[in-house]
Amino acid sequence: MKVGILGGGQLGHMLADAAHAISLETLVLDPKPDAVAGQVTRHLVADWVDESALAELSQCDVVTYEFENVPAEAVECLQHDTAVHPSPDALVISGDRIIEKNFFHDLGIETAPFAQVDTREDLDRAITEIGLPAVVKTRRFGYDGRGQAVLRSSADVDAAWIELGGQALILEGFVPFDREVSLIAVRGREGEIRSWPATENVHEGGILHISRAPAPDVSDDLRTQAESGLEAIMSRLDYVGVLVVEFFQIDGRLVANEMACRVHNSGHWTIEGAPTSQFENHMRAVAGLPLGVTDTEGFAAMVNLVSDVPSMTALKGRDGISLHVYGKSAAPGRKLGHVTVVAPSREVLETRIAEVLGVVGDRSAR
Ligand code: AMP
């Protein structure tokens, strides 16, 4: 069976590796000639809407994606000839923060207060309604903290408007969260849902820095809130594949920030830390294979390598430490690799994380 993948970054690379391990073939489409998935699978270097590339991709038994901003017409074209999972509706919803937050509301999933902002008058009105502090974000194409500005006081509004005005925007109330938590789940073609332990995420400058799984101190109630949110989303969309929702935790409640209808950076620890990785289960789901086990023993963490890859000789061969370097060219704010840590106890996990941060640098300490 052959699975087409739209997008050939590190997520595509890790999806292709997982697919090959369970005897699935893969084919990637990505306009970038140096897309890193091309290191491990055949790579069509062509525009997203290139007719002959789409024709070749539509020969695959199923097509999925690791990149969310694929033009809708490319997906529509593929759907004529083959199955596309997850549902392209999910792509439309997660691709626009206003549509996404309205969707959460329809399903009874709590979000920060929000308002649509197209003009400067809208922004002033939204600030009066929602209050400050608040966060103004582009509705589309924002990632890793790009395309957003925190408004702490009215003195910040003009500069934010100069930076972001003229695009479709959203104003969100600032959530004074206790921590950030994500839940990753997978739904098979027959509707079976499995999820991994909730993950606690620490961001630096809007970019994921460290994930820890299972997140410490997750009560049954918190776990149920997260699971029922994902189940509601997946059932509504007849979703097939891996889905992640990023939540803010505040006073024992979960407030949804955003969802990604693909494998996710906060689930990279599952490669070494779980019986079945998010990548393998995504491939299993879209290919219609039985899902692998997600119940996880032990403790895991992931440290992102951002902007540069330091020398990691000191970490090579160390117990419970695995290095992943993507082979991308360095650039400020770019995710270039990650280090996974696994351990039999939380104490050992923290010792190993400290060891890793000692070598790769602690972005939160800079
Ligand atoms: P996002 O691109 O929406 O994932 O935002 C990147 C990061 O900015 C989040 O992980 C949070 O740390 C922070 N952030 C985003 N939106 C809010 C909000 N409404 N309130 C507080 N912090 C936020």
Side-chain angles (χ1 to χ4, degrees):
M1 180 179 274
K2 193 166 183 175
V3 183
I5 305 171
L6 293 162
Q10 65 268 21
L11 301 179
H13 187 306
M14 290 185 267
L15 281 170
D17 280 345
H20 302 159
I22 51 170
S23 301
L24 298 171
E25 276 183 76
T26 52
L27 175 65
V28 158
L29 170 63
D30 193 306
K32 292 197 201 87
D34 57 351
V36 293
Q39 298 165 9
V40 292
T41 186
R42 201 157 90 72
H43 169 200
L44 302 171
V45 183
D47 193 81
W48 299 116
V49 292
D50 181 272
E51 273 180 32
S52 69
L54 290 177
E56 188 163 356
L57 208 62
S58 67
Q59 301 297 306
C60 293
D61 300 284
V62 57
V63 173
T64 189
Y65 26 84
E66 60 92 88
F67 174 71
E68 287 167 297
N69 296 319
V70 177
E73 59 263 43
V75 178
E76 275 162 30
C77 169
L78 290 164
Q79 273 187 302
H80 283 298
D81 299 311
T82 189
V84 178
H85 293 303
S87 144
D89 294 346
L91 208 62
V92 172
I93 293 167
S94 68
D96 183 319
R97 292 184 193 271
I98 290 277
I99 299 177
E100 183 178 60
K101 287 213 162 44
N102 282 320
F103 177 69
F104 287 155
H105 263 247
D106 284 351
L107 294 171
I109 299 170
E110 184 178 351
T111 68
F114 66 96
Q116 182 170 333
V117 170
D118 295 311
T119 63
R120 177 61 205 255
E121 293 69 43
D122 290 343
L123 180 59
D124 293 336
R125 199 175 319 120
I127 290 170
T128 310
E129 236 173 74
I130 291 171
L132 294 178
V135 189
V136 61
K137 302 179 181 177
T138 54
R139 281 173 63 172
R140 291 182 57 70
F141 306 126
Y143 69 101
D144 286 345
R146 289 176 217 206
Q148 56 182 273
V150 178
L151 308 177
R152 295 188 193 283
S153 75
S154 48
D156 296 331
V157 179
D158 284 341
W161 183 254
I162 289 166
E163 189 191 333
L164 299 170
Q167 307 171 74
L169 301 174
I170 183 173
L171 185 78
E172 296 177 11
F174 187 89
V175 182
F177 54 81
D178 301 321
R179 63 173 173 175
E180 295 184 76
V181 169
S182 59
L183 188 74
I184 303 179
V186 59
R187 185 172 181 274
R189 284 204 195 169
E190 308 301 325
E192 184 194 1
I193 295 177
R194 294 187 179 194
S195 54
W196 286 265
T199 303
E200 181 182 283
N201 301 312
V202 178
H203 291 82
E204 274 311 316
I207 304 176
L208 183 59
H209 175 35
I210 302 180
S211 291
R212 288 178 173 84
D217 305 318
V218 174
S219 64
D220 289 349
D221 175 52
L222 206 73
R223 170 101 201 154
T224 307
Q225 282 181 50
E227 275 178 359
S228 51
L230 270 84
E231 277 171 31
I233 295 168
M234 290 176 136
S235 304
R236 174 71 64 92
L237 295 171
D238 196 14
Y239 195 92
V240 176
V242 162
L243 173 82
V244 60
V245 179
E246 293 183 78
F247 296 97
F248 301 125
Q249 183 182 334
I250 175 163
D251 301 334
R253 276 172 19 245
L254 290 178
V255 173
N257 178 29
E258 60 183 359
M259 67 181 204
C261 46
R262 54 166 169 76
V263 287
H264 192 256
N265 195 173
S266 69
H268 288 4
W269 64 267
T270 60
I271 296 180
E272 290 88 6
T276 314
S277 75
Q278 60 166 350
F279 302 99
E280 178 175 335
N281 258 346
H282 182 78
M283 283 301 178
R284 287 180 163 274
V286 302
L289 299 171
L291 300 179
V293 174
T294 52
D295 296 336
T296 298
E297 281 171 23
F299 299 84
M302 188 247 17
V303 177
N304 260 342
L305 303 174
V306 178
S307 305
D308 56 56
V309 178
S311 161
M312 295 189 288
T313 316
L315 296 176
K316 280 192 184 142
R318 298 301 293 264
D319 253 9
I321 294 177
S322 306
L323 312 179
H324 297 253
V325 177
Y326 308 146
K328 289 158 70 173
S329 52
R334 202 163 199 213
K335 290 173 183 165
L336 302 175
H338 69 267
V339 180
T340 312
V341 181
V342 293
S345 70
R346 209 172 275 294
E347 292 66 36
V348 176
L349 186 76
E350 291 305 323
T351 308
R352 289 182 179 165
I353 293 173
E355 226 175 288
V356 171
L357 293 176
V359 172
V360 306
D362 185 352
R363 284 196 291 126
S364 60
R366 281 178 203 163

